[in-house]
Amino acid sequence: DTGVSQNPRHKITKRGQNVTFRCDPISEHNRLYWYRQTLGQGPEFLTYFQNEAQLEKSRLLSDRFSAERPKGSFSTLEIQRTEQGDSAMYLCASSLGDPQYFGPGTRLTVL
Amino acid sequence: KQEVTQIPAALSVPEGENLVLNCSFTDSAIYNLQWFRQDPGKGLTSLLLIQSSQREQTSGRLNASLDKSSGRSTLYIAASQPGDSATYLCAVIWGAQKLVFGQGTRLTINP
């Protein structure tokens, strides 16, 4: 399968712990996006990379959130000091332009 | 503020019917519009992408139209099947690279 992959698929953590998610885009795609989706809502944009450069960050991305794409390939999203409100599906997408192709998501549950 | 709205939030129809899902957006200066399908607990599958210069796109039983002047798009599904049951999401790109999503329409096709 050469689509977008995300790991882990599910993560349960206790409030206050740090978590890290990984996204592997489609191999030739230079653009990578992170979105967050809460139950019953559409996804909301978090951040966007072109190659290794982080070009845009949403105000949703508080200082507890950090994203990297060190070599312009895979990306990581870290959440520090998790809160119950961080419980959501975290979606990654990649593209060469349009359209964007989404991965299966990582579902985070904060207890 | 650039927003996307989908009404209704849920729709239930008998198998075999043709149906239309609606999407409206607040700013007509869009770059493109994309329709997605999401199965419960899963990621997003891209169905159709319409560039701002296009009026419609077709794929199999699906047809998406775009009317920028009225700020509306519709997704037409012909001869609906139980396998079409899912949440359908409309998303717009206005110029930045991020997709802005509606809340989705949860579609149920009854056998």
Side-chain angles (χ1 to χ4, degrees):
Chain A
D1 189 332
T2 56
V4 179
S5 62
Q6 293 186 246
N7 287 288
R9 295 291 306 279
H10 303 273
K11 179 69 176 179
I12 300 174
T13 191
K14 294 182 179 179
R15 189 176 55 184
Q17 297 295 304
N18 299 341
V19 295
T20 300
F21 310 140
R22 176 177 170 128
C23 172
D24 288 272
I26 294 171
S27 60
E28 66 270 22
H29 286 184
N30 61 343
R31 296 176 182 174
L32 188 146
Y33 314 79
W34 287 97
Y35 293 83
R36 181 173 71 184
Q37 186 179 27
T38 53
L39 202 61
Q41 303 296 314
E44 295 176 291
F45 171 81
L46 292 179
T47 190
Y48 153 61
F49 291 85
Q50 182 156 317
N51 299 312
E52 64 273 13
Q54 188 173 20
L55 297 185
E56 188 172 351
K57 290 168 55 173
S58 164
R59 281 173 287 182
L60 292 174
L61 216 64
S62 75
D63 56 5
R64 295 185 299 105
F65 288 70
S66 62
E68 294 183 341
R69 194 183 183 198
K71 297 183 180 178
S73 56
F74 72 93
S75 175
T76 58
L77 177 68
E78 180 183 17
I79 309 174
Q80 296 182 327
R81 305 181 304 282
T82 52
E83 302 172 356
Q84 287 184 325
D86 296 331
S87 294
M89 175 80 88
Y90 290 83
L91 294 161
C92 175
S94 72
S95 76
L96 269 176
D98 301 307
Q100 294 183 24
Y101 295 90
F102 280 76
T106 294
R107 179 164 296 284
L108 174 65
T109 302
V110 182
L111 302 177
Chain B
K1 185 180 177 183
Q2 293 166 331
E3 294 181 335
V4 178
T5 303
Q6 293 183 251
I7 295 173
L11 181 65
S12 180
V13 300
E15 180 178 3
E17 281 203 0
N18 303 325
L19 59 99
V20 173
L21 305 180
N22 296 299
C23 172
S24 60
F25 44 91
T26 53
D27 180 347
S28 64
I30 71 171
Y31 180 68
N32 64 41
L33 184 147
Q34 197 167 351
W35 281 93
F36 294 89
R37 169 187 173 134
Q38 187 174 33
D39 293 292
K42 306 292 186 182
L44 279 63
T45 300
S46 179
L47 297 174
L48 290 164
L49 171 73
I50 308 179
Q51 301 286 356
S52 62
S53 58
Q54 298 175 319
R55 295 297 301 269
E56 65 179 322
Q57 282 286 332
T58 298
S59 175
R61 295 184 293 109
L62 304 180
N63 175 275
S65 69
L66 175 63
D67 183 344
K68 287 195 305 178
S69 62
S70 65
R72 301 167 83 91
S73 175
T74 61
L75 179 67
Y76 174 83
I77 303 177
S80 58
Q81 303 171 357
D84 295 330
S85 297
T87 295
Y88 290 80
L89 291 154
C90 167
V92 175
I93 290 182
W94 267 287
Q97 292 298 315
K98 61 185 178 184
L99 288 165
V100 178
F101 284 85
Q103 290 186 318
T105 295
R106 189 174 68 253
L107 176 65
T108 303
I109 307 298
N110 301 304

